[in-house]
Amino acid sequence: MKAERAKEILVELLKIPSPSGHEDRLALHIMEFLHKLDYDVHIESDGKVIDLVVNPDAELFFEVHMDTIDMRAEPFVRGNIVYGTGASDVKGGLASILLMLESLKKEKQDLNVGVVFVSDEEKGGMGSALFMERYKPKMAIVIEPTDLEVHIAHAGNIEGYFEVDGKEAHGACPESGINAIDQAYRMIEELKALEPFKQKGKYFDAYIGLQELICENPYYLIPALCRGRFEARLLPDQEVEDVLDLMDPILDEYTLRYEYTEIWDGYELSEDEEIVQLAKKAMDAVGLEDFGGMRSWTDAINFMYNGTKTIVFGPGNLDISHTKGERIDVRDVVKASEFLKKVNEIYGKGE
């Protein structure tokens, strides 16, 4: 029964497109859902983004984003598996929150934590930044696809755009030109050879690679200009500024210009932290076992930078998020809901 209800909630969420910047319809749907359960919803907005806040005075918040990437796959259901853009990232997690809130009301239990539904996670993180400007919770659980692992560590990141300049020549005369594609690959290989990107980690390894490369060549030529984007994943204890100092000389050598567009340090919480201990008790109660580390940017970075001790947790699989085959098992949605409900219970008892 719980799986069927989770499926109903999730499919309704997926039927409402909510790419970043267009979360209004979904926000209205969530507000109506919560009002039917007699939850008070506080609206926070700066004219660009909208956040929905329940129980605003709480010191522990569950946070989930309402937006997705642009639609790549329409929703459909096959047994317990729900497919579609946003199923894993992160409407499955959103469904687990709504399922928890509905269950608390049905069982006449108190909501002891705060809940915030934010906008713009997939693009700029403005929704979580707005929330943190106006609220200062002590602790938070950010809902993201973690395969039901509790992530107490978070990767750092460096993202950059670049232009590599070569020299045009007829395609049959490569020795007369400088191939910008070759230059771009030499550049990325030198970056990969840097010591920080050889490091192995507890939950994931450091990494740098190309994520986009565009080389216009409408004629039969040696390509003279490539534009691209690279992304680096850093271990929680690696300092971004130290890594940038090693990357800059290589980028200076190979590129016409470059720009770092995202830079942040990662973190790892001690298992003695209150939020980790609270999560461990809930994990034991519902049969979850593993700690892990989040490999991608999440709103947890905005929370931690503002002093809120934050873990990341949720149903769904990061590997298939954003892909055309994105999907989630609604039984994992139910399990996530049970975990969050148990956190709410334990926190309310002050255990």
Side-chain angles (χ1 to χ4, degrees):
M1 290 296 292
K2 287 184 178 179
E4 286 303 312
R5 180 57 181 148
K7 191 184 302 182
E8 289 174 6
I9 293 172
L10 176 55
V11 169
E12 287 302 312
L13 295 173
L14 290 172
K15 285 180 179 178
I16 305 171
S18 57
S20 302
H22 301 278
E23 300 95 340
D24 293 4
R25 283 182 57 207
L26 184 62
L28 180 60
H29 172 79
I30 293 169
M31 288 176 64
E32 291 174 347
F33 186 101
L34 297 175
H35 284 153
K36 288 178 182 177
L37 297 172
D38 279 337
Y39 286 108
D40 292 328
V41 181
H42 300 257
I43 300 174
E44 297 288 347
S45 179
D46 62 359
K48 295 180 181 178
V49 295
I50 183 172
D51 296 341
L52 307 178
V53 183
V54 180
N55 205 9
D57 296 327
E59 291 194 337
L60 167 60
F61 261 85
F62 298 163
E63 186 259 29
V64 64
H65 62 89
M66 298 182 286
D67 61 317
T68 69
I69 63 167
D70 292 337
M71 183 67 70
R72 300 193 72 209
E74 295 293 332
F76 70 94
V77 178
R78 185 173 291 158
N80 284 313
I81 311 302
V82 178
Y83 293 76
T85 298
S88 178
D89 188 10
V90 68
K91 288 184 177 178
L94 176 52
S96 71
I97 292 273
L98 297 181
L99 188 64
M100 178 204 72
L101 292 170
E102 184 177 78
S103 178
L104 289 176
K105 283 295 182 179
K106 285 181 178 179
E107 297 174 17
K108 296 182 170 54
Q109 296 183 30
D110 291 333
L111 177 64
N112 304 308
V113 304
V115 182
V116 57
F117 306 86
V118 305
S119 301
D120 190 55
E121 190 274 346
E122 294 290 359
K123 286 201 172 176
M126 292 189 295
S128 58
L130 174 67
F131 175 76
M132 290 305 298
E133 284 177 10
R134 301 182 181 183
Y135 297 85
K136 300 294 180 184
K138 182 180 178 182
M139 300 176 290
I141 300 178
V142 165
I143 309 300
E144 289 286 354
T146 69
D147 282 321
L148 300 178
E149 290 182 346
V150 172
H151 285 187
I152 64 174
H154 201 297
N157 182 271
I158 301 169
E159 182 184 77
Y161 286 82
F162 63 86
E163 291 185 5
V164 169
D165 194 24
K167 178 184 175 185
E168 276 190 353
H170 190 277
C173 306
E175 63 279 355
S176 298
I178 300 174
N179 191 314
I181 296 176
D182 291 344
Q183 293 292 94
Y185 278 102
R186 289 192 189 100
M187 177 188 74
I188 206 67
E189 288 303 312
E190 287 195 26
L191 290 171
K192 285 182 176 182
L194 292 174
E195 190 60 32
F197 300 119
K198 298 177 183 179
Q199 299 301 309
K200 305 293 184 181
K202 182 178 180 181
Y203 302 114
F204 48 78
D205 300 333
Y207 173 81
I208 187 168
L210 289 175
Q211 291 208 343
E212 188 174 15
L213 189 63
I214 300 171
C215 303
E216 296 179 2
N217 188 11
Y219 309 107
Y220 184 47
L221 292 168
I222 299 302
L225 181 66
C226 286
R227 298 178 178 87
R229 175 169 57 90
F230 61 81
E231 184 159 359
R233 180 179 67 209
L234 305 182
L235 303 182
D237 60 350
Q238 290 179 318
E239 296 287 340
V240 168
E241 291 301 328
D242 293 341
V243 179
L244 293 178
D245 287 343
L246 297 174
M247 292 175 60
D248 282 340
I250 297 173
L251 293 171
D252 286 337
E253 176 184 354
Y254 280 97
T255 70
L256 186 63
R257 61 179 64 85
Y258 66 92
E259 176 187 6
Y260 295 121
T261 52
E262 290 190 17
I263 300 173
W264 74 82
D265 284 310
Y267 68 86
E268 182 170 5
L269 296 180
S270 163
E271 292 192 21
D272 294 330
E273 286 284 354
E274 181 181 357
I275 183 61
V276 180
Q277 287 295 308
L278 181 59
K280 185 66 171 66
K281 291 176 183 177
M283 290 164 68
D284 291 341
V286 302
L288 298 178
E289 298 179 357
D290 295 330
F291 286 131
M294 172 50 63
R295 293 166 286 168
S296 175
W297 191 93
T298 73
D299 286 323
I301 294 297
N302 282 342
F303 277 70
M304 284 290 292
Y305 275 13
N306 284 277
T308 298
K309 300 297 183 181
T310 305
I311 60 177
V312 184
F313 168 82
N317 185 291
L318 185 64
D319 295 55
I320 58 172
S321 297
H322 295 191
T323 71
K324 291 181 179 179
E326 187 171 354
R327 59 195 179 274
I328 196 167
D329 190 323
V330 292
R331 291 168 293 190
D332 289 344
V333 173
V334 173
K335 194 71 167 181
S337 178
E338 291 172 349
F339 169 81
L340 296 171
K341 186 178 175 183
K342 183 57 68 172
V343 171
N344 177 73
E345 177 188 327
I346 295 170
Y347 180 70
K349 292 178 179 178
E351 297 179 12

